Amino acid sequence: MADFFKKLKKRLRLTVQLVFTALSNGYVQGFAEGKIFRGKTKSVCVPGLNCYSCPGALGSCPIGSLQATLSDRNYKFAFYVLGFLMIVGAFFGRFVCGWLCPFGLVQDLLYKIPFFRKLRKLPGDKFLKWFKYVILAVFVILLPLFAVDAFGQGSPWFCEYICPSGTLGAGIPLVVLNEGLRSVIGWLYAWKVAILAVLIFLSILVYRPFCRYLCPLGAIYGLFNPISLYRYKIDSEKCTKCGACQKACKLDIKTFENPNSTECIRCGDCIKSCPHNAIKK
Amino acid sequence: MTEKNKNIIAFSFVLVGIVFVALGVWRGEIESVLRKAVNICLECIGIG
């Protein structure tokens, strides 16, 4: 038993990711019948990127909900979802990405697949990491808000044209399980499956490419990292700037210089790797 | 910025967040989220 808990502690993050993903996608009947959950809990957002059309989803995706509210002609400002993101961001920042996001878990598992050459980052990483903010501004906020039909109603552009989490968690299972949906798929479905396929390949090659370069939710939570209540501190008396933390960081962050980088997903590898115990939570 | 100031900013965000959530519930945004979430989102799954 003690051995079990020792192993569990060693794999604490993976355990939390698996348990949280299972709990927030616990509507097993949906997977069996090709339907989605229709209960009241879906009025509450989950912290991670988790499509509300996933057959198992018991809550709502904050990015989907944000677009749904912004594109609704009756609202045009999303107090509810933005308030939720502020609360979660102020407490946890990108801890959510590292510990609670189902699509983060998928990428973590894909990165475990052996490949003859793994990359620390993609070429152009310095510029590519800004792309998630462009996606947030254009596809999540501006287009749903201003590209509207004759009745003033917009669309969830990020969900429609980009989100690979929706394709994996909802698009593929629903199309496989539901004959009616299967008969109406077209070029858009093929486009989204192609994005997912590219991201799956890239996730084997480089650690968390979607979180680094594309995720608008990670972009929002990242802005909170420097001030969130859960943050890292460097003990300057102990730190020798040896760089062991950066070497251990799969996102290649110089933790000793910037412990609360907007890119940090709080996996904790830097803390474990520090030979001087200089990084504190 | 001191750690104390960071905490003050974080707690301010929490407070503003609570006010925003309350405003959103009062405006009926929560029903809009629920309405969207309990029906299969054709855009999300790539049908459009």
Side-chain angles (χ1 to χ4, degrees):
Chain A
M1 196 68 176
D3 204 38
F4 170 77
F5 281 112
K6 216 172 162 183
K7 273 184 189 166
L8 201 69
K9 199 181 167 192
K10 209 174 161 190
R11 293 178 174 262
L12 181 64
R13 190 165 74 92
L14 180 64
T15 310
V16 172
Q17 285 175 301
L18 287 169
V19 168
F20 195 81
T21 301
L23 285 178
S24 53
N25 292 280
Y27 185 62
V28 182
Q29 203 181 333
F31 290 106
E33 296 173 2
K35 290 177 182 166
I36 64 168
F37 180 65
R38 295 175 62 88
K40 289 261 186 207
T41 55
K42 277 207 159 166
S43 56
V44 180
C45 292
V46 290
L49 200 72
N50 194 147
C51 187
Y52 37 41
S53 286
C54 170
L58 296 170
S60 282
C61 171
I63 289 295
S65 304
L66 180 60
Q67 292 167 92
T69 318
L70 290 176
S71 62
D72 191 318
R73 62 182 172 160
N74 296 318
Y75 301 115
K76 295 295 175 193
F77 191 84
F79 282 108
Y80 174 64
V81 183
L82 287 175
F84 170 82
L85 292 173
M86 271 185 210
I87 295 168
V88 176
F91 272 107
F92 303 109
R94 288 195 82 171
F95 172 87
V96 172
C97 309
W99 291 73
L100 305 176
C101 180
F103 201 60
L105 167 65
V106 170
Q107 289 173 90
D108 279 0
L109 296 175
L110 286 168
Y111 190 68
K112 288 181 192 287
I113 296 172
F115 195 71
F116 73 96
R117 194 182 163 207
K118 296 272 185 185
L119 298 176
R120 289 284 284 172
K121 50 192 163 189
L122 285 183
D125 169 86
K126 211 173 164 184
F127 302 103
L128 283 174
K129 66 185 180 189
W130 292 99
F131 198 54
K132 57 182 173 289
Y133 297 100
V134 176
I135 287 180
L136 170 65
V138 177
F139 284 85
V140 178
I141 299 171
L142 296 175
L143 287 170
L145 207 50
F146 297 113
V148 293
D149 62 17
F151 304 102
Q153 191 69 33
S155 303
W157 286 69
F158 174 74
C159 298
E160 194 167 349
Y161 295 102
I162 300 174
C163 187
S165 174
T167 312
L168 182 69
I172 292 174
L174 282 179
V175 164
V176 167
L177 296 167
N178 191 316
E179 208 182 318
L181 291 172
R182 210 158 45 235
S183 62
V184 290
I185 57 172
W187 70 270
L188 186 59
Y189 188 79
W191 164 252
K192 288 198 68 183
V193 170
I195 291 182
L196 176 65
V198 170
L199 265 164
I200 287 175
F201 173 69
L202 286 177
S203 301
I204 298 170
L205 200 67
V206 65
Y207 187 63
R208 291 207 180 204
F210 179 73
C211 307
R212 285 180 177 202
Y213 308 124
L214 299 174
C215 184
L217 188 57
I220 295 172
Y221 288 144
L223 297 174
F224 287 94
N225 259 8
I227 56 98
S228 62
L229 293 168
Y230 183 88
R231 57 180 183 265
Y232 291 171
K233 293 172 205 88
I234 302 290
D235 186 335
S236 53
E237 285 180 10
K238 287 183 180 172
C239 180
T240 60
K241 301 190 184 345
C242 65
C245 49
Q246 187 183 2
K247 233 181 239 176
C249 177
K250 292 197 272 295
L251 294 168
D252 201 32
I253 296 165
K254 281 186 182 171
T255 314
F256 60 96
E257 279 182 2
N258 187 7
N260 297 306
S261 158
T262 53
E263 304 300 313
C264 175
I265 60 164
R266 307 305 194 198
C267 70
D269 285 353
C270 55
I271 295 176
K272 284 183 211 155
S273 73
C274 180
H276 311 291
N277 205 17
I279 309 169
K280 307 277 181 204
K281 287 180 215 169
Chain B
M1 195 190 294
T2 65
E3 295 300 313
K4 191 182 165 189
N5 285 347
K6 287 180 184 176
N7 288 344
I8 291 171
I9 295 172
F11 278 117
S12 306
F13 272 115
V14 172
L15 284 178
V16 175
I18 291 169
V19 173
F20 268 34
V21 168
L23 264 173
V25 172
W26 176 72
R27 289 212 309 168
E29 289 173 21
I30 202 164
E31 281 82 26
S32 168
V33 169
L34 181 64
R35 211 167 32 246
K36 184 77 181 171
V38 296
N39 294 299
I40 291 177
C41 167
L42 294 177
E43 296 97 338
C44 305
I45 63 171
I47 289 176

